[in-house]
Amino acid sequence: MFKHLRNDIPASIVVFFVALPLCLGIALASDAPPLSGLISGIIGGIVVGLISKSKIGVSGPAAGLAAIVASAITSLGSFELFLSAVVLAGIIQLLFGVLKMGVIGYYFPNSVIKGMLTGIGIIIILKQIPHFFGYDTEAEGADTFLEPSGENTFSAITHIMDNITFGALIIGVVGLIIILFCYNILSKKHGFFKIIQGSLIAVLVGTILQIIFSSITDLAIEGKHLVEVPVPNSISDFGEFLSFPDFSQIFSLEILTIAFTLALVASLETLLSVEATDKLDPEKNITPTNRELFAQGFGNIASGLIGGLPITQVIVRSSANVQSNAKTKMSAILHGILILVSILAIPTILNHIPKSVLAAILIVVGFKLAKPSLFKKMFSLGWTQFLPFIVTIIVIVFTNLLYGIFTGLAIGFAVVLIKNYQNSIFLHKKETENASVIQMTFAEEISFLNKAAIQKELFSLPENSRLELDIRKTTYLDYDIVEILEDFVIQAKNKNIFVHLMSEKGIVDNPTSFVEFFKLKKESN
C-alpha cells in the first residue's frame, strides 16, 4: 500500500475534489442532512478502502440510491429510523458475501459494461454543463433524466443562456484550460506536473479568482454556486451535526423491506462498478467480488451508525482514480482522510471553491469515459456487440443507470438467443439420384435454447429424404432436444425419411428410439 505514494497521493487529491461536491449533492438529492453525504464519503474511503481488495475502486454515496433514500426517509418519517435500515442493509450485504453472491457481477456482458461506462461519461458531461456555466438548479451528482426542478437533462442545457453566471463561467473555462494544458503538454515535459496535477492547480486558481471576483459586482458568485460544507463554531460542535440510528422499529416490516432493497441495489451497483473499474484498470487487476460485498457491508454498518448515507463502489470516483494514475487502494483511503480533515479543519476555505471549476474536472473525466473512438471500435465488432452497447447508453441517458443496465442485459440475452438459434446446427444439402440428402451436424453444446432451430429443420425435411445426423462433436445434449428427436422418429417413419446417425460409438441406421443414441452419447462422454 505504501510503495506507490508518488502516484496515490496526487490521485487521492483529484478524487477528493471530485467526491466532495458529489457527496454533498447526493445528500441534497436524497433529502438527507448535508453532513450525511460527507460521512459516507469518509467511511467509503477509509473503512471500505481498508477492507476491500480493490486496488483502484472508490466507494461512497451513490446517485443511483438517491431516489430510494429520499422515499424511505419520507415514508419512515425520521432520518434516525432510516439509519437503522442502513445498518441492517450492511448486515444483509455481509450475508450476501457469505452466500458468495458476488459471482453475479461476472454475468454481465462486456458490451453492456462498456455501454454503462460510456453512458455514465455522457451523463457526467451533460449534467455538468449547466454547473460549468453557473446554472445550479440541480444538485451535483444527480444522474436521472427527469430533474426535481421540472427540468430534464436537455432542457436544463437549453436554458443555460438565460441563467449564466459570468464569474462562474470564466472560472470554469480557466479551470478547463489549465487541466487540459497540464494533462496534454506539461505532464509530458515535466515530472512535477504528474505529482501536482492540473485538477489541483485548477481548483486553487479557481478559488483565488472567486475571492477576487467577490469584490467585482458583475463577476461576484453567489453562495449557491459554491461548495456548501457545514461550518460549526468549533471542532467539538461537529457532534451537533451527527445523527444516530433509532433501532426501536428495527424489525418492523417497513424497515426490513427498505433494508433489503438498499442491500440489493447497493450490492448490484457495487458489482457493476467493480466489473467496470477492473476493465478500466491498465494493470487489469481482478477484484474479489465476495470480499467486496463484505467491505461494503462493514462500510454501510459503520456509515449508518454515525449518520451516513448508504455506500456503494461508484464508477465516477473510481474512473477519476484510474485516470489520475492511482496504483493501490491507498488513494481511496487517503481521499477519505482528506474529506475528514478538510471538513474538520478548513470548511470555510472549502466553501470558497466554485462548482464551475469542479464541473470542469468532471467534464474531463466524462470525456475520457465516452471517447468517440470507442463508438467506432464497438461498431466494428458487429451488431451483437454494438446493439447492447448503444441501447445501454441511450436508456442510461434518458432514464437512469439501473434501467440502462437491465435493458442492456435484456438486449444481450436476446442476442444470445438469436445466436443460439443460428449456430446450433450446421446443414449441408445435396441431391442424389434417389433422394435428397441432408447432412446435419450438431454444435458442441445443445440446450433448450436451441429447440426452435432444430425443430424447424427436422420437421421441414421432405418425404423420401435421407438425414445424416452427426453428434460426434457434441459434448452436451439437453433432454428437451431428445424429446424433439423422439417425436421426429415417429414422423420420419410416416414420411419415409431414412436416418443415418453418427456418434463416437459407431453408426446407427434408422434408430427405433433416439433414447438409444442419447445413451450412447452419455457413455462416450
Side-chain angles (χ1 to χ4, degrees):
M1 286 171 53
F2 298 96
K3 290 181 180 179
H4 299 281
L5 288 178
R6 188 172 182 272
N7 297 94
D8 292 336
I9 292 175
S12 70
I13 295 171
V14 174
V15 177
F16 162 70
F17 284 124
V18 169
L20 183 67
L22 296 181
C23 289
L24 291 166
I26 292 168
L28 180 61
S30 304
D31 293 334
L35 191 61
S36 64
L38 295 171
I39 289 171
S40 58
I42 294 165
I43 298 295
I46 300 173
V47 176
V48 177
L50 285 169
I51 300 173
S52 169
K53 288 191 175 182
S54 175
K55 290 191 174 183
I56 53 176
V58 182
S59 296
L65 290 173
I68 298 173
V69 172
S71 175
I73 293 172
T74 301
S75 65
L76 292 172
S78 164
F79 184 63
E80 288 72 20
L81 285 173
F82 170 74
L83 292 177
S84 68
V86 175
V87 174
L88 186 55
I91 295 171
I92 294 171
Q93 283 186 296
L94 295 181
L95 181 61
F96 287 168
V98 171
L99 297 175
K100 300 189 182 301
M101 292 179 64
V103 71
I104 293 171
Y106 297 130
Y107 288 94
F108 286 87
N110 287 345
S111 57
V112 175
I113 297 298
K114 290 177 180 177
M116 180 187 78
L117 288 169
T118 307
I120 290 173
I122 293 172
I123 280 288
I124 292 171
I125 295 170
L126 294 176
K127 292 292 188 181
Q128 291 304 316
I129 288 174
H131 294 297
F132 186 82
F133 282 84
Y135 181 38
D136 297 298
T137 58
E138 189 179 26
E140 289 276 2
D143 67 351
T144 56
F145 182 71
L146 298 176
E147 302 176 2
S149 63
E151 300 267 24
N152 61 51
T153 302
F154 294 108
S155 69
I157 294 174
T158 61
H159 293 154
I160 285 174
M161 299 309 295
D162 298 326
N163 298 278
I164 292 177
T165 303
F166 286 101
L169 175 59
I170 292 170
I171 290 172
V173 171
V174 170
L176 187 59
I177 291 172
I178 290 171
I179 294 168
L180 295 177
F181 185 68
C182 287
Y183 179 76
N184 293 316
I185 298 175
L186 294 182
S187 64
K188 296 176 181 178
K189 293 184 177 181
H190 304 283
F192 173 79
F193 290 100
K194 291 182 178 179
I195 300 175
I196 305 300
Q197 297 192 10
S199 299
L200 174 59
I201 299 171
V203 170
L204 293 175
V205 172
T207 305
I208 293 169
L209 286 175
Q210 188 279 134
I211 294 171
I212 294 172
F213 289 171
S214 63
S215 60
I216 304 173
T217 304
D218 293 337
L219 297 178
I221 303 174
E222 296 179 20
K224 66 180 181 180
H225 303 305
L226 306 174
V227 171
E228 298 173 285
V229 176
V231 182
N233 295 323
S234 65
I235 293 179
S236 60
D237 291 339
F238 256 105
E240 299 177 5
F241 290 93
L242 297 177
S243 300
F244 300 97
D246 176 0
F247 291 111
S248 62
Q249 301 178 37
I250 186 68
F251 295 115
S252 69
L253 180 61
E254 188 173 15
I255 286 183
L256 289 171
T257 302
I258 291 171
F260 185 79
T261 302
L262 289 173
L264 190 63
V265 177
S267 298
L268 180 60
E269 286 209 20
T270 291
L271 294 174
L272 289 169
S273 182
V274 165
E275 185 77 5
T277 303
D278 285 350
K279 292 192 181 306
L280 291 174
D281 184 3
E283 296 182 4
K284 302 304 176 187
N285 294 294
I286 302 297
T287 300
T289 51
N290 294 316
R291 176 62 174 258
E292 189 64 28
L293 290 178
F294 274 114
Q296 299 295 329
F298 280 114
N300 276 313
I301 291 171
S303 184
L305 287 174
I306 58 174
L309 293 176
I311 292 169
T312 74
Q313 189 179 122
V314 276
I315 193 60
V316 177
R317 274 153 273 187
S318 299
S319 60
N321 201 31
V322 175
Q323 293 168 17
S324 301
N325 201 31
K327 296 296 182 183
T328 74
K329 63 181 182 178
M330 182 56 76
S331 173
I333 296 169
L334 288 175
H335 116 275
I337 294 172
L338 284 172
I339 297 175
L340 174 61
V341 171
S342 64
I343 64 174
L344 291 175
I346 56 169
T348 304
I349 296 176
L350 293 178
N351 288 340
H352 284 290
I353 300 175
K355 291 181 181 178
S356 60
V357 74
L358 299 176
I361 296 173
L362 284 165
I363 286 171
V364 173
V365 170
F367 180 79
K368 289 180 180 179
L369 285 173
K371 289 182 178 179
S373 59
L374 181 59
F375 286 84
K376 183 179 178 180
K377 178 182 177 182
M378 294 303 293
F379 185 78
S380 68
L381 293 175
W383 73 271
T384 58
Q385 291 295 307
F386 185 72
L387 185 61
F389 169 77
I390 199 68
V391 168
T392 301
I393 293 171
I394 292 171
V395 177
I396 285 175
V397 170
F398 285 96
T399 56
N400 59 42
L401 177 62
L402 288 177
Y403 282 154
I405 286 294
F406 283 118
T407 304
L409 189 61
I411 297 296
F413 183 68
V415 169
V416 170
L417 290 178
I418 292 170
K419 297 309 291 182
N420 264 280
Y421 181 86
Q422 293 175 340
N423 299 329
S424 56
I425 53 177
F426 305 93
L427 292 174
H428 176 67
K429 297 181 180 180
K430 61 182 180 180
E431 298 291 337
T432 66
E433 293 182 2
N434 299 321
S436 297
V437 177
I438 295 91
Q439 295 173 334
M440 180 183 291
T441 303
F442 275 8
E444 187 173 353
E445 294 188 359
I446 302 293
S447 71
F448 71 95
L449 297 175
N450 309 121
K451 284 172 62 175
I454 293 174
Q455 184 163 295
K456 175 187 174 184
E457 295 298 339
L458 286 176
F459 288 89
S460 63
L461 293 178
E463 294 182 2
N464 305 313
S465 59
R466 175 187 176 90
L467 172 65
E468 295 180 356
L469 182 59
D470 190 346
I471 63 166
R472 287 175 293 184
K473 294 181 180 179
T474 307
T475 58
Y476 173 75
L477 194 65
D478 196 301
Y479 192 76
D480 283 27
I481 308 301
V482 174
E483 288 192 339
I484 289 176
L485 296 173
E486 287 280 344
D487 293 340
F488 174 71
V489 168
I490 298 172
Q491 191 184 88
K493 292 178 181 178
N494 296 333
K495 295 174 69 175
N496 195 30
I497 297 174
F498 182 84
V499 180
H500 184 77
L501 177 66
M502 291 174 280
S503 69
E504 294 91 336
K505 290 291 185 178
I507 298 174
V508 180
D509 289 328
N510 276 333
T512 56
S513 169
F514 273 91
V515 171
E516 293 179 16
F517 79 77
F518 180 59
K519 290 179 178 178
L520 287 172
K521 189 65 194 171
K522 291 187 71 174
E523 290 171 4
S524 66
N525 288 335

